[in-house]
């Protein structure tokens, strides 16, 4: 069997009774959390424009609904992450959009979400060591859309293989200038979701996909990865559950910046509002990944005129906002917050520096890179050298820093997302305050703080979600088919 055929056979045959209890629980939290992200996105002016142009989040046309849900939930980076990818914008959005038409009950919806998450995560993991990751990996949502729709249909393995072969044969490819420099980011998940759903329609119409598309030397993995890891697609199916690596976002904003925002919140509690006039300096020590993402965003920043696509990756703006206000919300990405000169003055005083120990810890954690590097084995140094060269000329420094990696995880039970930050605020009155966070609040592997189920519930309620709806979503596996459409409508309105 080819990789596509093996993955398709597993996905077509998976049922609710095959899913571990903890995986089902996490999928339920994914749904609640993504509903919050969608509500959040809809509250921003760009989200309102998306609804004006393409319709309400849930509408009679399931395909159109999936498109809108994917767009609303993605672009503020309030969506959850896993190893590997920002998946819920397709793996939750598409099953929700199709649930009513497919007659799903709560258990059926959860099954679709888990199967879609596992498929999308595995395909994404196989090309993680490449130029696209996170939300720039648009192809994640082609797979997520195919899987999120076909699992609810009970489609055959052959239909799965054709749809995946068709969708991944011509997947969207992110153009960085558009992603950061305008409003294109709003469509970074919606466009590939549409491509995946088109592939399903084509497969139903009798079109066939390339069965060896993934591993073929001229195929998907080699087109999208600098270092393909084909084993990531099928190894450990039914044993290595990628859903277990889900990290739940409690703040909007780009990758690796959650911990800096967490530190900012703690510093605000200690110091009160931090005003630029009182600051000598603010330093953020962080890993190579976060430092590179911030550097990437700074090229597109234009103060209050900065596009939202760049703002969500701009660490000084995110941290300045948090130090001033004690929080980071959807309102901080629109006027009048964006025109507040105080936060821009403070942002100008924030310096981001690379910390080698944090970089070591990042690559030795399973999420977001470690598992892929472990699966790559003795080929990993090749990719590390290339990644390290993005910071300074000879990337061998990163190979030497990371050193030998442990073996791959068998089941992800020990997964941690280590994306560290240390924030130091020096005030003109001589006081200095420092906070460090290694795993973000809500991140997989966090060992202290509020339980993740409570964090997700609080996230949903903070966006205006109703308590009774949150309670019912928490027992989704027992929700009958006739109740599910109304519950989803209430969760999003």
């Amino acid at each position: 069997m080819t990789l596509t055929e093996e993955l398709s056979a597993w996905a077509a045959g998976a049922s609710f009774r095959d899913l571990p209890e903890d995986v089902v629980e996490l999928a339920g939290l994914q749904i609640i959390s993504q509903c919050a992200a969608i509500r959040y996105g809809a509250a921003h002016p760009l989200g309102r424009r998306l609804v004006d142009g393409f319709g309400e989040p849930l509408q009679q046309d399931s395909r159109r609904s999936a498109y809108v849900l994917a767009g609303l939930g993605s672009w503020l980076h309030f969506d959850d992450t896993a190893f590997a990818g920002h998946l819920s914008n397709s793996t939750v959005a598409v099953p929700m959009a199709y649930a009513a038409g497919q007659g799903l009950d709560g258990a059926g919806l959860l099954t679709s979400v888990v199967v879609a998450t596992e498929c999308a995560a595995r395909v994404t993991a196989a090309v993680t060591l490449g130029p696209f990751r996170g939300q720039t990996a648009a192809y994640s949502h082609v797979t997520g859309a195919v899987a999120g729709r076909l699992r609810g249909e009970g489609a055959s393995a052959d239909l799965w293989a054709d749809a995946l072969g068709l969708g991944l044969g011509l997947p969207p490819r992110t153009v960085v200038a558009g992603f950061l420099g305008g409003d294109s980011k709003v469509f970074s998940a919606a466009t590939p979701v549409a491509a995946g759903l088109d592939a399903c329609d084509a497969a139903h119409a009798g079109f066939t996909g390339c069965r060896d598309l993934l591993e073929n030397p001229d195929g998907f993995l080699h087109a999208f990865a600098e270092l393909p890891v084909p084993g990531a697609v099928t190894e450990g199916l039914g044993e290595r559950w990628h859903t277990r690596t889900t990290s739940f976002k409690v703040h909007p904003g780009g990758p690796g910046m959650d911990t800096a925002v967490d530190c900012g919140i703690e510093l605000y509690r200690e110091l009160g509002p931090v005003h630029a006039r009182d600051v000598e300096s603010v330093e953020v020590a962080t890993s190579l990944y976060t430092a590179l993402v911030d550097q990437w965003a700074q090229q597109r920043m234009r103060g209050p005129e900065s596009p939202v696509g760049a703002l969500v990756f701009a660490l000084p703006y995110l941290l300045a906002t948090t130090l001033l206000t004690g929080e980071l919300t959807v309102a901080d990405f629109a006027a009048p917050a964006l025109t507040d000169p105080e936060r821009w003055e403070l942002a100008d005083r924030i310096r981001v520096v690379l910390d080698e120990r944090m970089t070591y810890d990042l690559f030795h954690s399973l999420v977001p890179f470690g598992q892929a590097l472990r699966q790559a084995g003795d080929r990993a140094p090749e990719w590390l050298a290339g990644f390290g060269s993005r910071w300074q000329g000879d990337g061998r420094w990163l190979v030497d820093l990371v050193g030998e990696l442990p073996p791959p995880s068998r089941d992800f039970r020990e997964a941690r997302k280590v994306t560290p930050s240390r924030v130091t605020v020096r005030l003109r009155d001589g006081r200095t305050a420092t906070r460090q966070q290694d795993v973000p609040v809500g991140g997989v592997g966090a060992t202290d703080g509020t339980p993740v189920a409570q964090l997700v519930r609080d996230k949903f309620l903070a966006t205006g979600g109703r308590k009774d709806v949150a309670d019912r979503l928490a027992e989704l596996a027992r929700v009958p088919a006739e109740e599910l459409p109304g519950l989803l409508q209430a969760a999003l309105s």
Side-chain angles (χ1 to χ4, degrees), residues 35-36 39 57-58 96 460 463-470 472-473 483-493:
C35 286
R39 295 174 63 92
L58 287 180
M96 284 174 48
F460 178 76
T463 64
R466 288 164 29 197
K467 291 182 179 180
D468 62 318
V469 173
R472 194 59 174 146
L473 287 172
E483 181 187 341
L484 186 60
L487 177 61
L488 294 179
Q489 184 68 55
L492 296 172
S493 60

Side-chain angles (χ1 to χ4, degrees), residues 2-5 123 142-143 161-171 209-224:
T2 67
L3 293 176
T4 300
E5 289 169 335
V123 171
V142 176
T143 306
D162 284 330
L164 287 171
L166 290 163
L168 293 175
L170 289 168
C210 175
R211 295 299 178 94
D212 69 343
L213 178 78
L214 293 176
E215 64 267 49
N216 190 296
D218 293 320
F220 173 80
L221 299 188
H222 291 273
F224 281 90

Side-chain angles (χ1 to χ4, degrees), residues 130-145:
F132 303 110
R133 62 189 52 84
Q135 286 198 353
T136 65
Y139 43 73
S140 300
H141 301 304
V142 176
T143 306

Side-chain angles (χ1 to χ4, degrees), residues 64-238:
R64 192 82 156 183
S65 180
Y67 187 90
V68 174
L69 290 171
L72 291 176
S74 62
W75 59 277
L76 277 174
H77 258 73
F78 203 34
D79 55 321
D80 305 315
T81 62
F83 176 76
H86 287 247
L87 306 176
S88 296
N89 300 304
S90 56
T91 67
V92 172
V94 172
M96 284 174 48
Y98 280 82
Q102 292 175 345
L104 298 183
D105 58 11
L109 175 60
L110 288 164
T111 304
S112 291
V113 169
V114 172
V115 170
T117 297
E118 296 299 319
C119 291
R122 286 171 169 277
V123 171
T124 306
V127 288
T128 285
L129 304 180
F132 303 110
R133 62 189 52 84
Q135 286 198 353
T136 65
Y139 43 73
S140 300
H141 301 304
V142 176
T143 306
V146 169
R149 174 176 164 182
L150 294 187
R151 179 57 264 169
E153 289 180 3
S156 69
D158 279 338
L159 189 69
W160 274 82
D162 284 330
L164 287 171
L166 290 163
L168 293 175
L170 289 168
R173 186 180 180 94
T174 299
V175 176
V176 172
F179 184 79
L180 290 178
D183 291 338
S184 296
K185 190 177 185 298
V186 176
F187 304 96
S188 61
T191 296
V193 159
L197 297 176
D198 283 346
C200 292
D201 289 338
H204 275 298
F207 288 88
T208 59
C210 175
R211 295 299 178 94
D212 69 343
L213 178 78
L214 293 176
E215 64 267 49
N216 190 296
D218 293 320
F220 173 80
L221 299 188
H222 291 273
F224 281 90
E226 295 154 354
L227 187 62
V229 186
V233 179
T234 56
E235 287 176 4
L237 277 168

Side-chain angles (χ1 to χ4, degrees), residues 74-380:
S74 62
W75 59 277
L76 277 174
H77 258 73
F78 203 34
D79 55 321
D80 305 315
T81 62
F83 176 76
H86 287 247
L87 306 176
S88 296
N89 300 304
S90 56
T91 67
V92 172
V94 172
M96 284 174 48
Y98 280 82
Q102 292 175 345
L104 298 183
D105 58 11
L109 175 60
L110 288 164
T111 304
S112 291
V113 169
V114 172
V115 170
T117 297
E118 296 299 319
C119 291
R122 286 171 169 277
V123 171
T124 306
V127 288
T128 285
L129 304 180
F132 303 110
R133 62 189 52 84
Q135 286 198 353
T136 65
Y139 43 73
S140 300
H141 301 304
V142 176
T143 306
V146 169
R149 174 176 164 182
L150 294 187
R151 179 57 264 169
E153 289 180 3
S156 69
D158 279 338
L159 189 69
W160 274 82
D162 284 330
L164 287 171
L166 290 163
L168 293 175
L170 289 168
R173 186 180 180 94
T174 299
V175 176
V176 172
F179 184 79
L180 290 178
D183 291 338
S184 296
K185 190 177 185 298
V186 176
F187 304 96
S188 61
T191 296
V193 159
L197 297 176
D198 283 346
C200 292
D201 289 338
H204 275 298
F207 288 88
T208 59
C210 175
R211 295 299 178 94
D212 69 343
L213 178 78
L214 293 176
E215 64 267 49
N216 190 296
D218 293 320
F220 173 80
L221 299 188
H222 291 273
F224 281 90
E226 295 154 354
L227 187 62
V229 186
V233 179
T234 56
E235 287 176 4
L237 277 168
E239 177 183 1
R240 183 187 291 158
W241 295 92
H242 285 247
T243 302
R244 286 184 174 136
T245 68
T246 304
S247 289
F248 295 95
K249 293 290 290 286
V250 298
H251 322 293
M257 298 172 187
D258 312 65
T259 50
V261 173
D262 291 336
C263 291
I265 291 171
E266 290 299 316
L267 288 166
Y268 178 90
R269 290 170 181 163
E270 176 183 348
L271 302 171
V274 176
H275 296 283
R277 63 180 179 272
D278 300 324
V279 168
E280 185 69 34
S281 67
V282 180
E283 180 181 278
V284 185
T286 190
S287 74
L288 174 63
Y289 182 37
T290 303
L292 280 173
V293 170
D294 175 65
Q295 188 180 79
W296 192 44
Q298 293 305 325
Q299 300 171 12
R300 298 284 171 179
M301 293 296 287
R302 302 193 299 272
E305 302 301 317
S306 299
V308 177
L311 269 175
V312 296
F313 295 110
L315 181 50
Y317 177 80
L318 302 182
L319 180 57
T321 295
T322 308
L323 290 172
L324 273 168
T325 68
E327 60 182 356
L328 186 66
T329 74
V330 63
D332 295 310
F333 298 95
L338 272 180
T339 57
D340 175 15
E342 173 80 3
R343 67 183 67 196
W344 290 105
E345 186 180 352
L346 181 56
D348 286 342
R349 295 173 183 260
I350 295 175
R351 187 167 67 103
V352 179
V353 299
L354 177 69
D355 186 287
E356 290 197 348
R357 179 65 207 190
M358 290 179 177
T359 299
Y360 174 92
D361 291 342
L362 168 83
F363 287 108
H364 275 260
S365 68
L366 286 174
V367 184
F369 294 104
Q371 176 73 1
L373 289 167
R374 296 178 194 192
Q375 289 180 291
D378 58 10
R379 298 177 299 151

